[in-house]
Amino acid sequence: RKHQITVVVDEAEPARRMVTRIADLRGPFQGRWIYEIAAADGGCRLTLTEEGEIANPFIRTMFRLTMNKTQFLESYLLCLGRRFGEQVTLA
């Protein structure tokens, strides 16, 4: 069974900024993501900031021991670049 997460948009300034967050307060983790777009070298730069929290101490510990904390952000940015046919450089 797949776990579905409902994400809502809290702020939206088209072509500049968007803030999303997990709507379900009962889930194993909470978080929000801040997307900021700026002009850069004939294209644009997307800065994605994640503010997350894992309340359960066991899950939080397992995550820290087994996962790269930037893994999901990097994967998302690479997929987004592929979707638009762009070469992505992670900084």
Side-chain angles (χ1 to χ4, degrees), residues 4-60:
Q4 293 183 354
I5 299 173
T6 301
V7 175
V8 296
V9 176
D10 283 337
E11 293 178 40
E13 296 176 46
R16 294 191 57 215
R17 177 180 163 92
M18 180 172 69
V19 179
T20 63
R21 69 175 165 80
I22 295 174
D24 183 2
L25 299 176
R26 297 167 293 158
F29 50 87
Q30 295 298 306
R32 76 181 198 143
W33 295 265
I34 303 165
Y35 304 77
E36 297 172 297
I37 301 171
D41 301 323
C44 69
R45 173 178 290 123
L46 170 63
T47 301
L48 176 54
T49 304
E50 178 180 56
E51 297 174 348
E53 178 182 321
I54 302 172
N56 182 304
F58 177 75
I59 295 173
R60 185 172 55 246

Side-chain angles (χ1 to χ4, degrees), residues 54 56-66:
I54 302 172
N56 182 304
F58 177 75
I59 295 173
R60 185 172 55 246
T61 300
M62 294 307 295
F63 181 84
R64 286 184 180 161
L65 291 174
T66 62

